[in-house]
Amino acid sequence: MLKSMTGFGRAVNEIGGYVITVELKSVNHRYFEFSSRIPRQYGFLDDKVKSYINSKVARGKVECFIGIEALNTEDADVAVNNTMASAYVKALKELEEKYDLKNDYGALSVSKFPEVLVVKKAEQDEEALWSYVKETADCALEKFISMRETEGEKMKEDISSRASYILEVVGFIEERSPETVKEYNDKLKERVSELIGDVSLDEARIIQEVAILADKVAVAEETVRLRSHIDQLNAFLNSEEPVGRKMDFLVQEINREANTIGSKASDVEIARKVVEIKAEVEKIREQIQNIE
């Protein structure tokens, strides 16, 4: 199923004595890019989370927030960082003496300075905690991927509709092209006749040269390739694999064929239709930029 690279998913789970929160959001990106916000004491989870999400998400700039709250605080211990506390007290005394300030600080004031109090917790069972986070991440991923699929379905409908219109335009060009070749052929013969006047030339040679020049304005090969590219584009729309990058390349090929038709065709109506194709291709390209 086609997926957008824009998504959001959030899950909160109380499990194993913890409240685990996992939040995922993403925007489009050429490759898979991952960044996370995880409490420092649980930093060992970062690589595990990245690898797991990457196994489910192929492309996009993914931001992940993980919150972990331990419900059981019996094993927690608050210790004093005496080195930092002494340094702060020394600095406060220096301020007091130098600027003749009142000594109105106490233990509570000192404790509020950074790193004076240190929370120590019992050793974590890393594998157990990872299983809790993974279970919660699964719930968040389900919502996250569901949103990407919903957006992808809308993009699929839009691209499919535009691809169908391009095929209609190609059909018009295929019908019109033989007429333009004939018109070009007739005009060329007329022009040659005007130039040579009564001079006797090999008529067969003239016809051959006219045919060669007329063939240069024929676009049958380009329209056949255009149809083939559109068929492949529709196949990608129904693929279960990430196809965004492949579709981006294919759209470049569609645009190239349209440019070739535009440069070869001397007919005003065909030229207008080529402009329409290029406009639709550009809109398809914009959609593809956000496809996984």
Side-chain angles (χ1 to χ4, degrees):
M1 178 181 291
L2 207 66
K3 296 186 185 73
S4 165
M5 282 192 283
T6 302
F8 177 83
R10 186 175 189 274
V12 181
N13 191 16
E14 184 176 328
I15 181 172
Y18 296 90
V19 175
I20 310 290
T21 302
V22 177
E23 185 175 292
L24 298 167
K25 60 180 179 180
S26 68
V27 294
N28 61 313
H29 193 273
R30 189 174 181 183
Y31 304 105
F32 176 80
E33 183 177 300
F34 180 84
S35 62
S36 66
R37 286 186 294 142
I38 299 175
R40 185 166 54 183
Q41 64 268 37
Y42 303 114
F44 66 89
L45 293 169
D46 188 72
D47 286 341
K48 294 178 182 291
V49 173
K50 179 180 180 180
S51 297
Y52 186 64
I53 292 176
N54 195 195
S55 71
K56 307 288 184 180
V57 179
R59 292 178 71 204
K61 184 177 181 180
V62 181
E63 294 181 10
C64 175
F65 164 77
I66 296 180
I68 302 174
E69 179 185 352
L71 298 177
N72 183 5
T73 60
E74 294 179 359
D75 295 328
D77 182 33
V78 179
V80 177
N81 185 338
N82 289 297
T83 301
M84 293 301 297
S86 296
Y88 283 121
V89 170
K90 182 180 178 181
L92 289 170
K93 285 183 177 180
E94 183 179 337
L95 286 172
E96 176 189 342
E97 294 172 359
K98 185 170 183 177
Y99 298 102
D100 193 22
L101 298 175
K102 182 180 178 181
N103 182 348
D104 58 356
Y105 59 87
L108 180 60
S109 298
V110 175
S111 70
K112 293 180 180 179
F113 288 110
E115 300 184 37
V116 171
L117 298 182
V118 181
V119 178
K120 296 182 178 180
K121 294 185 178 181
E123 290 294 322
Q124 303 287 343
D125 184 339
E126 294 186 0
E127 288 305 315
L129 187 57
W130 163 235
S131 70
Y132 305 151
V133 171
K134 180 174 176 293
E135 183 175 326
T136 310
D138 280 334
C139 297
L141 272 167
E142 184 177 348
K143 298 173 185 177
F144 175 80
I145 292 173
S146 176
M147 181 175 176
R148 286 162 67 104
E149 289 177 343
T150 300
E151 291 295 319
E153 188 62 29
K154 293 177 182 177
M155 289 190 291
K156 175 184 175 180
E157 292 173 3
D158 183 73
I159 293 172
S160 180
S161 173
R162 297 186 187 284
S164 295
Y165 180 70
I166 289 175
L167 284 179
E168 290 181 17
V169 176
V170 170
F172 171 85
I173 292 173
E174 287 172 333
E175 290 182 7
R176 176 66 183 156
S177 182
E179 296 179 22
T180 62
V181 171
K182 183 178 182 303
E183 292 171 4
Y184 181 80
N185 196 317
D186 293 341
K187 288 180 181 178
L188 203 54
K189 285 181 180 179
E190 182 180 341
R191 179 60 177 159
V192 169
S193 297
E194 290 176 358
L195 291 173
I196 65 175
D198 295 330
V199 178
S200 178
L201 291 177
D202 185 355
E203 185 176 352
R205 177 63 184 275
I206 294 175
I207 293 174
Q208 181 183 14
E209 292 298 325
V210 168
I212 291 173
L213 291 172
D215 185 60
K216 291 182 179 180
V217 301
V219 295
E221 292 182 8
E222 287 75 14
T223 58
V224 168
R225 285 195 291 268
L226 262 178
R227 286 188 176 278
S228 175
H229 293 334
I230 295 296
D231 287 344
Q232 194 172 1
L233 182 66
N234 286 325
F236 283 152
L237 291 176
N238 296 299
S239 174
E240 295 298 322
E241 301 295 325
V243 292
R245 295 175 68 183
K246 294 178 181 178
M247 292 177 72
D248 188 45
F249 172 78
L250 187 60
V251 166
Q252 292 179 40
E253 295 301 305
I254 293 173
N255 195 58
R256 183 177 291 110
E257 298 299 340
N259 283 333
T260 303
I261 292 173
S263 64
K264 292 177 70 173
S266 58
D267 181 69
V268 174
E269 292 186 44
I270 290 181
R272 288 174 180 168
K273 291 299 182 182
V274 168
V275 171
E276 291 182 19
I277 290 177
K278 289 171 68 66
E280 294 301 313
V281 168
E282 186 57 34
K283 291 172 183 176
I284 291 174
R285 191 200 304 275
E286 290 175 4
Q287 292 282 35
I288 288 174
Q289 298 309 307
N290 199 35
I291 291 177
E292 184 180 30

